[in-house]
Amino acid sequence: MRKSGRCLEILVPELSACIHEVNDRGGKPESTFLQVLSRADYARSSGVDFEEYMLKACGIKGHSDGYVSQAAILAYGDNALMSSVPILCSDPVFLKGDPSRLMLFDAGTIGINKSEADSLISLLNDLFRHDGLSIWCKDPRRWFIEGLSDTTYGGTSPNKLTGTPLEPDVASRKALGDLGRIMTEAQMVLHDCEVNKRRLSGGKPPVNSIWLWGGGEQPLVTKPKITAVFANDHFSTSCANFSNLAVSGVEDIDLSMIHSYARGLVAIPPKYNLRETNQILHCVIKHAVSSLKSGELDELLIVSDRDTFLIDRQMLRRFWKRRKSLMRRIMDRGDN
């Protein structure tokens, strides 16, 4: 059979957690991706940071190999234009406080529509006009602020912080500098505005703050390691579009998008719904195995949180001798 030379790579940092989820609900391993993993060659690897992996795969780096501005990448994904000015994410959030802790909830959790976002942004732009700042959005869940003199602050995405307690201390507040002032002033304006009054009367949490993050160096595109990206999350598709790579949804994998003797990447980011992640992973691997058997695909590479698995057509014939030891090893590593 003539080789296509294609390799499909699956990036799934939460593989250990996925296997735990299947085991906890009594799923049968033989009906999951574990059967494929047990036949693969594997190697241990260091922990995987999803965003850093995507940037590297797409050939995106900073001018001096520093931290790349995720805000610039995400803004490009929304408006297909590279920002000519420094930019930060300024996402809308709900900060819920009590005497012992402060909790953050992101826009995807609390829900916000475009009309609400436009009204709130108009209020904030009136407030910050004298500072030369401008906030804009295309998607109500993602806001951006331009005009800042310093956009080196990386911070953490509110998507990663939602539902978790924050512990801001004096040192971290001082490190924010002028950004801390901007967030505080925004909170004062948002506190008693009409949009939030309507949200509260409708039983919805208010949008009572903005969350600044995503700073870093302006991104450059070098030589990507892949030719196609299959993903549903905005960050992965933004990276692919920024690097001018072929891009499609995970449910619409078309291996012809991968050049001969090249690599395509399926990106499955960390998320809270592990059962949904498992369903996606099962379907992707099932499609990949079928493509290995037909010769449309030559290699399947699965990159997890701490292990890397490689399988080709010949390996599919291996006896399933390592299932128990493999499952125990992966699950033990997931507990560490």
Side-chain angles (χ1 to χ4, degrees):
M1 181 179 294
R2 185 177 179 180
K3 289 189 174 183
S4 67
R6 294 190 183 97
C7 175
L8 184 65
E9 182 174 337
I10 302 174
L11 173 60
V12 51
E14 288 185 324
L15 181 62
S16 297
C18 286
I19 292 174
H20 272 284
E21 193 274 335
V22 170
N23 187 64
D24 290 345
R25 60 184 168 89
K28 295 182 178 180
E30 54 270 17
S31 65
T32 70
F33 47 82
L34 191 60
Q35 185 174 9
V36 173
L37 299 184
S38 68
R39 288 177 165 87
D41 287 340
Y42 67 88
R44 293 185 177 183
S45 58
S46 57
V48 172
D49 181 273
F50 183 83
E51 287 82 7
E52 289 182 6
Y53 197 99
M54 284 301 307
L55 291 170
K56 188 174 181 180
C58 294
I60 301 173
K61 59 183 292 186
H63 288 265
S64 59
D65 291 330
Y67 183 77
V68 174
S69 169
Q70 289 196 29
I73 299 293
L74 292 169
Y76 184 89
D78 274 343
N79 64 12
L81 294 173
M82 184 62 199
S83 178
S84 60
V85 295
I87 189 170
L88 274 182
C89 297
S90 57
D91 295 339
V93 297
F94 168 47
L95 298 181
K96 180 180 180 181
D98 60 40
S100 62
R101 62 183 180 177
L102 182 68
M103 303 280 286
L104 179 149
F105 298 90
D106 69 346
T109 301
I110 64 175
I112 177 173
N113 60 44
K114 190 63 165 61
S115 176
E116 291 174 328
D118 289 342
S119 296
L120 294 173
I121 287 174
S122 178
L123 282 176
L124 293 173
N125 281 334
D126 287 342
L127 170 68
F128 294 129
R129 187 168 290 112
H130 67 280
D131 291 317
L133 304 179
S134 175
I135 298 177
W136 61 271
C137 80
K138 290 294 180 68
D139 186 300
R141 298 165 297 177
R142 292 186 296 274
W143 298 5
F144 302 94
I145 186 169
E146 297 178 343
L148 295 165
S149 58
D150 183 5
T151 56
T152 58
Y153 177 70
T156 304
S157 165
N159 295 336
K160 293 183 176 181
L161 297 173
T162 193
T164 61
L166 305 177
E167 298 180 0
D169 54 32
V170 175
S172 64
R173 288 185 180 276
K174 287 184 177 179
L176 283 173
D178 196 45
L179 299 183
R181 174 189 66 82
I182 291 171
M183 290 176 65
T184 299
E185 291 184 2
Q187 289 168 9
M188 294 173 64
V189 169
L190 296 173
H191 172 69
D192 200 34
C193 70
E194 289 301 318
V195 170
N196 280 328
K197 287 180 180 178
R198 290 195 296 270
R199 287 179 61 87
L200 286 168
S201 65
K204 298 179 181 179
V207 178
N208 59 7
S209 183
I210 57 174
W211 191 258
L212 302 178
W213 70 283
E217 297 185 348
Q218 288 291 92
L220 299 170
V221 179
T222 57
K223 187 177 180 180
K225 296 182 177 182
I226 54 180
T227 63
V229 171
F230 307 98
N232 294 336
D233 67 290
H234 186 66
F235 180 76
S236 298
T237 56
S238 295
C239 288
N241 288 323
F242 191 87
S243 297
N244 199 29
L245 301 173
V247 59
S248 178
V250 173
E251 64 281 357
D252 299 315
I253 295 178
D254 180 358
L255 294 181
S256 67
M257 294 169 58
I258 306 172
H259 300 165
S260 296
Y261 297 96
R263 180 177 307 227
L265 176 61
V266 177
I268 305 178
K271 58 193 305 181
Y272 296 108
N273 189 337
L274 289 176
R275 182 169 294 193
E276 180 181 341
T277 300
N278 261 325
Q279 291 171 347
I280 294 171
L281 186 58
H282 178 80
C283 291
V284 170
I285 290 184
K286 183 178 180 181
H287 178 77
V289 168
S290 175
S291 300
L292 282 171
K293 291 178 178 178
S294 70
E296 190 179 8
L297 185 68
D298 283 330
E299 288 184 339
L300 174 63
L301 181 69
I302 302 171
V303 180
S304 73
D305 34 12
R306 298 184 182 182
D307 297 280
T308 299
F309 301 85
L310 177 66
I311 190 165
D312 60 23
R313 187 166 178 264
Q314 286 68 37
M315 293 176 188
L316 292 175
R317 302 190 183 98
R318 287 177 173 174
F319 289 106
W320 198 12
K321 294 180 178 179
R322 295 187 300 164
R323 179 180 66 80
K324 291 183 179 179
S325 62
L326 177 71
M327 188 172 188
R328 182 172 61 251
R329 181 178 64 82
I330 294 175
M331 292 182 69
D332 287 345
R333 290 175 68 79
D335 289 334
N336 292 336

